[in-house]
Short mmCIF file of all heavy atoms in Angstrom, two decimals:
data_model
loop_
_atom_site.label_atom_id
_atom_site.label_comp_id
_atom_site.label_asym_id
_atom_site.label_seq_id
_atom_site.Cartn_x
_atom_site.Cartn_y
_atom_site.Cartn_z
N GLY A 1 0.82 -1.21 0.00
CA GLY A 1 0.00 0.00 0.00
C GLY A 1 0.85 1.26 0.00
O GLY A 1 0.53 2.23 -0.70
N THR A 2 1.91 1.24 0.77
CA THR A 2 2.81 2.40 0.82
C THR A 2 3.45 2.66 -0.54
O THR A 2 3.51 3.79 -1.02
CB THR A 2 3.90 2.16 1.87
OG1 THR A 2 3.29 2.03 3.16
CG2 THR A 2 4.90 3.31 1.90
N THR A 3 3.92 1.58 -1.16
CA THR A 3 4.55 1.71 -2.49
C THR A 3 3.55 2.22 -3.52
O THR A 3 3.84 3.13 -4.31
CB THR A 3 5.11 0.35 -2.93
OG1 THR A 3 5.97 -0.17 -1.92
CG2 THR A 3 5.90 0.49 -4.22
N ALA A 4 2.35 1.63 -3.51
CA ALA A 4 1.32 2.05 -4.45
C ALA A 4 0.91 3.50 -4.21
O ALA A 4 0.67 4.26 -5.17
CB ALA A 4 0.10 1.12 -4.33
N HIS A 5 0.82 3.89 -2.94
CA HIS A 5 0.38 5.25 -2.64
C HIS A 5 1.42 6.28 -3.04
O HIS A 5 1.07 7.40 -3.43
CB HIS A 5 0.03 5.38 -1.16
CG HIS A 5 -0.93 6.49 -0.88
ND1 HIS A 5 -2.13 6.62 -1.55
CD2 HIS A 5 -0.85 7.55 -0.02
CE1 HIS A 5 -2.76 7.72 -1.10
NE2 HIS A 5 -2.00 8.29 -0.19
N ALA A 6 2.69 5.94 -2.94
CA ALA A 6 3.74 6.85 -3.40
C ALA A 6 3.57 7.13 -4.90
O ALA A 6 3.68 8.28 -5.35
CB ALA A 6 5.11 6.26 -3.12
N PHE A 7 3.25 6.06 -5.66
CA PHE A 7 3.04 6.23 -7.10
C PHE A 7 1.78 7.04 -7.38
O PHE A 7 1.79 7.98 -8.18
CB PHE A 7 2.94 4.84 -7.75
CG PHE A 7 2.68 4.88 -9.23
CD1 PHE A 7 3.72 5.05 -10.13
CD2 PHE A 7 1.39 4.76 -9.73
CE1 PHE A 7 3.48 5.09 -11.50
CE2 PHE A 7 1.13 4.81 -11.08
CZ PHE A 7 2.18 4.97 -11.97
N SER A 8 0.69 6.68 -6.72
CA SER A 8 -0.58 7.40 -6.93
C SER A 8 -0.45 8.86 -6.56
O SER A 8 -0.98 9.74 -7.25
CB SER A 8 -1.70 6.75 -6.11
OG SER A 8 -1.98 5.44 -6.55
N HIS A 9 0.25 9.12 -5.47
CA HIS A 9 0.40 10.49 -4.97
C HIS A 9 1.10 11.39 -6.00
O HIS A 9 0.72 12.55 -6.17
CB HIS A 9 1.18 10.48 -3.66
CG HIS A 9 1.39 11.83 -3.08
ND1 HIS A 9 0.38 12.57 -2.50
CD2 HIS A 9 2.50 12.61 -2.98
CE1 HIS A 9 0.85 13.72 -2.07
NE2 HIS A 9 2.13 13.76 -2.35
N ILE A 10 2.11 10.86 -6.66
CA ILE A 10 2.81 11.64 -7.67
C ILE A 10 1.85 12.10 -8.76
O ILE A 10 1.89 13.26 -9.20
CB ILE A 10 3.95 10.81 -8.29
CG1 ILE A 10 5.08 10.61 -7.25
CG2 ILE A 10 4.51 11.48 -9.54
CD1 ILE A 10 6.12 9.60 -7.66
N LEU A 11 0.95 11.21 -9.18
CA LEU A 11 0.03 11.55 -10.27
C LEU A 11 -1.00 12.58 -9.85
O LEU A 11 -1.13 13.64 -10.47
CB LEU A 11 -0.67 10.28 -10.77
CG LEU A 11 0.16 9.31 -11.61
CD1 LEU A 11 -0.67 8.08 -11.97
CD2 LEU A 11 0.67 9.99 -12.87
N TYR A 12 -1.76 12.30 -8.78
CA TYR A 12 -2.84 13.24 -8.46
C TYR A 12 -2.33 14.54 -7.87
O TYR A 12 -2.94 15.59 -8.08
CB TYR A 12 -3.92 12.59 -7.58
CG TYR A 12 -3.51 12.08 -6.22
CD1 TYR A 12 -3.04 12.93 -5.22
CD2 TYR A 12 -3.67 10.73 -5.91
CE1 TYR A 12 -2.69 12.45 -3.98
CE2 TYR A 12 -3.33 10.25 -4.65
CZ TYR A 12 -2.84 11.11 -3.69
OH TYR A 12 -2.51 10.64 -2.46
N LYS A 13 -1.21 14.52 -7.17
CA LYS A 13 -0.70 15.79 -6.63
C LYS A 13 -0.12 16.66 -7.75
O LYS A 13 -0.26 17.89 -7.73
CB LYS A 13 0.34 15.52 -5.55
CG LYS A 13 0.76 16.78 -4.77
CD LYS A 13 -0.41 17.59 -4.24
CE LYS A 13 -1.24 16.87 -3.21
NZ LYS A 13 -0.62 16.77 -1.90
N ALA A 14 0.52 16.03 -8.74
CA ALA A 14 0.97 16.78 -9.90
C ALA A 14 -0.21 17.44 -10.61
O ALA A 14 -0.15 18.61 -11.00
CB ALA A 14 1.71 15.87 -10.87
N LEU A 15 -1.32 16.70 -10.72
CA LEU A 15 -2.51 17.24 -11.38
C LEU A 15 -3.12 18.38 -10.56
O LEU A 15 -3.56 19.39 -11.13
CB LEU A 15 -3.53 16.12 -11.58
CG LEU A 15 -4.82 16.47 -12.30
CD1 LEU A 15 -4.55 17.11 -13.65
CD2 LEU A 15 -5.69 15.21 -12.48
N LEU A 16 -3.14 18.24 -9.24
CA LEU A 16 -3.64 19.33 -8.39
C LEU A 16 -2.81 20.60 -8.57
O LEU A 16 -3.35 21.71 -8.69
CB LEU A 16 -3.62 18.89 -6.93
CG LEU A 16 -4.67 17.87 -6.49
CD1 LEU A 16 -4.34 17.32 -5.12
CD2 LEU A 16 -6.06 18.49 -6.50
N PHE A 17 -1.50 20.45 -8.59
CA PHE A 17 -0.65 21.63 -8.74
C PHE A 17 -0.71 22.20 -10.16
O PHE A 17 -0.56 23.41 -10.35
CB PHE A 17 0.80 21.30 -8.35
CG PHE A 17 1.06 21.45 -6.88
CD1 PHE A 17 1.28 20.36 -6.08
CD2 PHE A 17 1.07 22.71 -6.29
CE1 PHE A 17 1.52 20.50 -4.72
CE2 PHE A 17 1.30 22.86 -4.93
CZ PHE A 17 1.53 21.76 -4.14
N MET A 18 -0.93 21.35 -11.16
CA MET A 18 -1.12 21.88 -12.52
C MET A 18 -2.40 22.70 -12.60
O MET A 18 -2.43 23.75 -13.25
CB MET A 18 -1.14 20.74 -13.53
CG MET A 18 0.23 20.18 -13.86
SD MET A 18 0.24 19.09 -15.29
CE MET A 18 -0.31 17.55 -14.56
N GLY A 19 -3.46 22.22 -11.95
CA GLY A 19 -4.70 23.00 -11.91
C GLY A 19 -4.50 24.33 -11.21
O GLY A 19 -5.00 25.37 -11.65
N THR A 20 -3.75 24.30 -10.11
CA THR A 20 -3.42 25.54 -9.40
C THR A 20 -2.61 26.47 -10.29
O THR A 20 -2.85 27.68 -10.32
CB THR A 20 -2.61 25.22 -8.13
OG1 THR A 20 -3.38 24.35 -7.30
CG2 THR A 20 -2.27 26.48 -7.36
N GLY A 21 -1.65 25.90 -11.00
CA GLY A 21 -0.83 26.71 -11.90
C GLY A 21 -1.65 27.35 -13.00
O GLY A 21 -1.41 28.50 -13.39
N ALA A 22 -2.64 26.61 -13.51
CA ALA A 22 -3.52 27.16 -14.54
C ALA A 22 -4.32 28.34 -14.02
O ALA A 22 -4.48 29.36 -14.69
CB ALA A 22 -4.45 26.07 -15.07
N VAL A 23 -4.84 28.21 -12.79
CA VAL A 23 -5.58 29.33 -12.17
C VAL A 23 -4.66 30.51 -11.95
O VAL A 23 -5.02 31.66 -12.26
CB VAL A 23 -6.21 28.88 -10.83
CG1 VAL A 23 -6.80 30.07 -10.08
CG2 VAL A 23 -7.29 27.82 -11.08
N LEU A 24 -3.48 30.26 -11.42
CA LEU A 24 -2.52 31.34 -11.16
C LEU A 24 -2.12 32.03 -12.45
O LEU A 24 -2.01 33.27 -12.51
CB LEU A 24 -1.30 30.76 -10.45
CG LEU A 24 -0.25 31.75 -9.93
CD1 LEU A 24 -0.86 32.74 -8.95
CD2 LEU A 24 0.89 30.99 -9.26
N TYR A 25 -1.91 31.25 -13.50
CA TYR A 25 -1.56 31.81 -14.81
C TYR A 25 -2.69 32.67 -15.36
O TYR A 25 -2.47 33.76 -15.89
CB TYR A 25 -1.24 30.68 -15.79
CG TYR A 25 -0.99 31.15 -17.21
CD1 TYR A 25 0.28 31.55 -17.62
CD2 TYR A 25 -2.03 31.18 -18.14
CE1 TYR A 25 0.50 31.97 -18.92
CE2 TYR A 25 -1.82 31.60 -19.44
CZ TYR A 25 -0.55 31.99 -19.82
OH TYR A 25 -0.34 32.43 -21.10
N SER A 26 -3.92 32.19 -15.25
CA SER A 26 -5.06 32.86 -15.87
C SER A 26 -5.51 34.10 -15.11
O SER A 26 -5.90 35.10 -15.72
CB SER A 26 -6.24 31.90 -15.99
OG SER A 26 -5.93 30.85 -16.88
N VAL A 27 -5.47 34.02 -13.78
CA VAL A 27 -6.06 35.08 -12.95
C VAL A 27 -4.99 35.93 -12.26
O VAL A 27 -5.21 37.10 -11.98
CB VAL A 27 -7.03 34.47 -11.90
CG1 VAL A 27 -7.70 35.55 -11.09
CG2 VAL A 27 -8.07 33.61 -12.59
N GLY A 28 -3.84 35.33 -11.97
CA GLY A 28 -2.76 36.08 -11.34
C GLY A 28 -2.72 35.99 -9.83
O GLY A 28 -1.91 36.66 -9.19
N THR A 29 -3.60 35.17 -9.23
CA THR A 29 -3.58 35.00 -7.78
C THR A 29 -4.02 33.59 -7.44
O THR A 29 -4.76 32.96 -8.19
CB THR A 29 -4.51 36.01 -7.07
OG1 THR A 29 -4.42 35.81 -5.65
CG2 THR A 29 -5.94 35.85 -7.51
N SER A 30 -3.54 33.09 -6.30
CA SER A 30 -3.99 31.78 -5.79
C SER A 30 -4.61 31.92 -4.41
O SER A 30 -4.81 30.93 -3.72
CB SER A 30 -2.81 30.79 -5.75
OG SER A 30 -1.76 31.28 -4.93
N LYS A 31 -4.93 33.16 -4.01
CA LYS A 31 -5.59 33.40 -2.72
C LYS A 31 -7.08 33.14 -2.86
O LYS A 31 -7.75 33.70 -3.73
CB LYS A 31 -5.37 34.85 -2.28
CG LYS A 31 -3.90 35.24 -2.07
CD LYS A 31 -3.31 34.54 -0.85
CE LYS A 31 -1.90 35.04 -0.59
NZ LYS A 31 -1.27 34.31 0.55
N LEU A 32 -7.62 32.30 -1.98
CA LEU A 32 -9.02 31.91 -2.11
C LEU A 32 -9.97 33.10 -2.00
O LEU A 32 -10.97 33.17 -2.71
CB LEU A 32 -9.38 30.88 -1.03
CG LEU A 32 -8.74 29.49 -1.17
CD1 LEU A 32 -9.26 28.57 -0.08
CD2 LEU A 32 -8.99 28.90 -2.54
N HIS A 33 -9.66 34.07 -1.11
CA HIS A 33 -10.59 35.19 -0.93
C HIS A 33 -10.60 36.14 -2.12
O HIS A 33 -11.47 37.00 -2.23
CB HIS A 33 -10.25 35.96 0.36
CG HIS A 33 -8.98 36.75 0.29
ND1 HIS A 33 -7.73 36.19 0.50
CD2 HIS A 33 -8.76 38.06 0.02
CE1 HIS A 33 -6.81 37.12 0.38
NE2 HIS A 33 -7.40 38.26 0.08
N GLU A 34 -9.63 35.97 -3.03
CA GLU A 34 -9.58 36.81 -4.23
C GLU A 34 -10.13 36.10 -5.46
O GLU A 34 -10.22 36.71 -6.53
CB GLU A 34 -8.14 37.26 -4.50
CG GLU A 34 -7.54 38.12 -3.38
CD GLU A 34 -6.09 38.45 -3.63
OE1 GLU A 34 -5.51 37.91 -4.60
OE2 GLU A 34 -5.52 39.25 -2.87
N LEU A 35 -10.48 34.84 -5.33
CA LEU A 35 -10.94 34.04 -6.47
C LEU A 35 -12.44 33.84 -6.45
O LEU A 35 -13.13 34.28 -5.53
CB LEU A 35 -10.22 32.68 -6.47
CG LEU A 35 -8.72 32.72 -6.71
CD1 LEU A 35 -8.10 31.37 -6.40
CD2 LEU A 35 -8.41 33.13 -8.15
N GLY A 36 -12.95 33.17 -7.48
CA GLY A 36 -14.38 32.87 -7.56
C GLY A 36 -14.94 33.11 -8.94
O GLY A 36 -14.34 33.83 -9.76
N ALA A 37 -16.09 32.52 -9.22
CA ALA A 37 -16.83 32.71 -10.47
C ALA A 37 -16.00 32.37 -11.71
O ALA A 37 -16.12 33.01 -12.75
CB ALA A 37 -17.34 34.15 -10.57
N LEU A 38 -15.17 31.34 -11.61
CA LEU A 38 -14.32 30.95 -12.74
C LEU A 38 -14.84 29.71 -13.46
O LEU A 38 -14.29 29.33 -14.49
CB LEU A 38 -12.89 30.68 -12.26
CG LEU A 38 -12.13 31.86 -11.65
CD1 LEU A 38 -10.78 31.39 -11.12
CD2 LEU A 38 -11.95 32.97 -12.67
N ALA A 39 -15.87 29.08 -12.93
CA ALA A 39 -16.32 27.80 -13.48
C ALA A 39 -16.71 27.91 -14.95
O ALA A 39 -16.39 27.03 -15.76
CB ALA A 39 -17.50 27.26 -12.66
N GLY A 40 -17.40 28.97 -15.31
CA GLY A 40 -17.84 29.13 -16.68
C GLY A 40 -16.70 29.39 -17.65
O GLY A 40 -16.78 29.03 -18.83
N LYS A 41 -15.62 29.99 -17.16
CA LYS A 41 -14.50 30.36 -18.02
C LYS A 41 -13.39 29.31 -18.01
O LYS A 41 -12.53 29.31 -18.88
CB LYS A 41 -13.93 31.71 -17.58
CG LYS A 41 -14.96 32.84 -17.66
CD LYS A 41 -14.40 34.12 -17.07
CE LYS A 41 -15.46 35.22 -17.10
NZ LYS A 41 -15.00 36.47 -16.45
N MET A 42 -13.38 28.44 -17.00
CA MET A 42 -12.30 27.46 -16.87
C MET A 42 -12.89 26.08 -16.54
O MET A 42 -12.43 25.40 -15.65
CB MET A 42 -11.31 27.89 -15.77
CG MET A 42 -10.70 29.25 -15.96
SD MET A 42 -9.51 29.68 -14.66
CE MET A 42 -8.16 28.58 -15.07
N LYS A 43 -13.92 25.69 -17.29
CA LYS A 43 -14.62 24.45 -16.94
C LYS A 43 -13.76 23.21 -17.12
O LYS A 43 -13.89 22.25 -16.36
CB LYS A 43 -15.93 24.32 -17.71
CG LYS A 43 -15.89 24.53 -19.18
CD LYS A 43 -17.30 24.38 -19.74
CE LYS A 43 -17.45 24.92 -21.15
NZ LYS A 43 -17.31 26.37 -21.22
N TRP A 44 -12.85 23.20 -18.10
CA TRP A 44 -12.00 22.03 -18.27
C TRP A 44 -10.95 21.94 -17.19
O TRP A 44 -10.63 20.85 -16.72
CB TRP A 44 -11.35 22.04 -19.65
CG TRP A 44 -12.26 21.51 -20.71
CD1 TRP A 44 -12.87 22.20 -21.71
CD2 TRP A 44 -12.70 20.15 -20.85
NE1 TRP A 44 -13.66 21.37 -22.46
CE2 TRP A 44 -13.57 20.10 -21.96
CE3 TRP A 44 -12.46 18.97 -20.14
CZ2 TRP A 44 -14.18 18.92 -22.38
CZ3 TRP A 44 -13.07 17.79 -20.55
CH2 TRP A 44 -13.91 17.78 -21.67
N VAL A 45 -10.43 23.09 -16.77
CA VAL A 45 -9.49 23.09 -15.65
C VAL A 45 -10.18 22.57 -14.39
O VAL A 45 -9.63 21.77 -13.63
CB VAL A 45 -8.91 24.50 -15.41
CG1 VAL A 45 -8.03 24.52 -14.16
CG2 VAL A 45 -8.11 24.97 -16.61
N LEU A 46 -11.43 23.01 -14.17
CA LEU A 46 -12.21 22.53 -13.03
C LEU A 46 -12.44 21.02 -13.14
O LEU A 46 -12.31 20.30 -12.14
CB LEU A 46 -13.55 23.26 -12.98
CG LEU A 46 -14.59 22.74 -11.98
CD1 LEU A 46 -14.05 22.79 -10.57
CD2 LEU A 46 -15.89 23.54 -12.09
N THR A 47 -12.76 20.54 -14.32
CA THR A 47 -12.99 19.10 -14.52
C THR A 47 -11.74 18.29 -14.18
O THR A 47 -11.80 17.30 -13.44
CB THR A 47 -13.40 18.82 -15.97
OG1 THR A 47 -14.61 19.53 -16.27
CG2 THR A 47 -13.62 17.33 -16.20
#
């Protein structure tokens, strides 16, 4: 389980940070209180 989780973690955490990077690139901030209403403009990133 530990070995498998190390592998799985690399994949989904990379994807989480890529999504964050896309938001940061598009909007210029990663602060939650400054974000919002992006679902219609970034639906694939959200998916």
Side-chain angles (χ1 to χ4, degrees):
T2 298
T3 307
H5 203 53
F7 178 84
S8 294
H9 180 72
I10 290 169
L11 287 177
Y12 61 63
K13 189 51 65 74
L15 182 55
L16 287 168
F17 274 110
M18 283 192 278
T20 302
V23 171
L24 187 58
Y25 174 87
S26 295
V27 183
T29 181
S30 58
K31 299 290 185 184
L32 291 183
H33 71 277
E34 297 176 353
L35 294 168
L38 297 175
K41 300 174 182 176
M42 303 181 71
K43 50 181 165 293
W44 278 110
V45 175
L46 171 59
T47 300

